[in-house]
Amino acid sequence: MTQQYPNDYRGWYYLGELMSTFQQYEQAIASFDKALQLKPDKDQPWYNRGVALFNLGRWDEAIASYDKALQLKPDRSYALTDGLQCA
């Protein structure tokens, strides 16, 4: 999908989801980053980027991603609780 529609953030987002499922976190982060370049106002890629960063032990970056998800969607309480796990 990313080859056919490289400017559609959803393809990059779903590729990131797939990579996370297979614990390929660096590739997941790269895919979420591409999705966010295309649609920086979407909260879910920011949250899932945080999860991938958390799984790599990159706490400060994970917190920053969770914070961004919360800025975009303040009722995303699990981003707050996941961010607290990094502290």
Side-chain angles (χ1 to χ4, degrees):
M1 186 168 169
T2 58
Q3 289 178 344
Q4 189 172 6
Y5 303 103
N7 294 319
D8 187 337
Y9 92 96
R10 292 172 295 191
W12 295 104
Y13 171 75
Y14 291 124
L15 181 59
E17 286 279 302
L18 183 64
M19 293 294 101
S20 288
T21 299
F22 290 106
Q23 299 179 355
Q24 301 296 313
Y25 299 119
E26 292 291 349
Q27 293 92 331
I29 293 164
S31 295
F32 293 135
D33 285 346
K34 182 64 177 173
L36 290 165
Q37 287 174 3
L38 297 167
K39 279 286 208 179
D41 61 335
K42 293 293 185 181
D43 66 293
Q44 195 64 44
W46 283 109
Y47 173 76
N48 288 354
R49 183 179 186 273
V51 171
L53 289 161
F54 176 85
N55 285 318
L56 291 173
R58 293 163 56 181
W59 317 120
D60 292 339
E61 293 172 271
I63 289 170
S65 287
Y66 292 142
D67 284 347
K68 186 64 177 178
L70 283 168
Q71 288 173 12
L72 294 169
K73 190 167 183 178
D75 63 339
R76 184 173 290 289
S77 61
Y78 54 87
L80 178 60
T81 56
D82 288 352
L84 291 173
Q85 291 179 16
C86 297

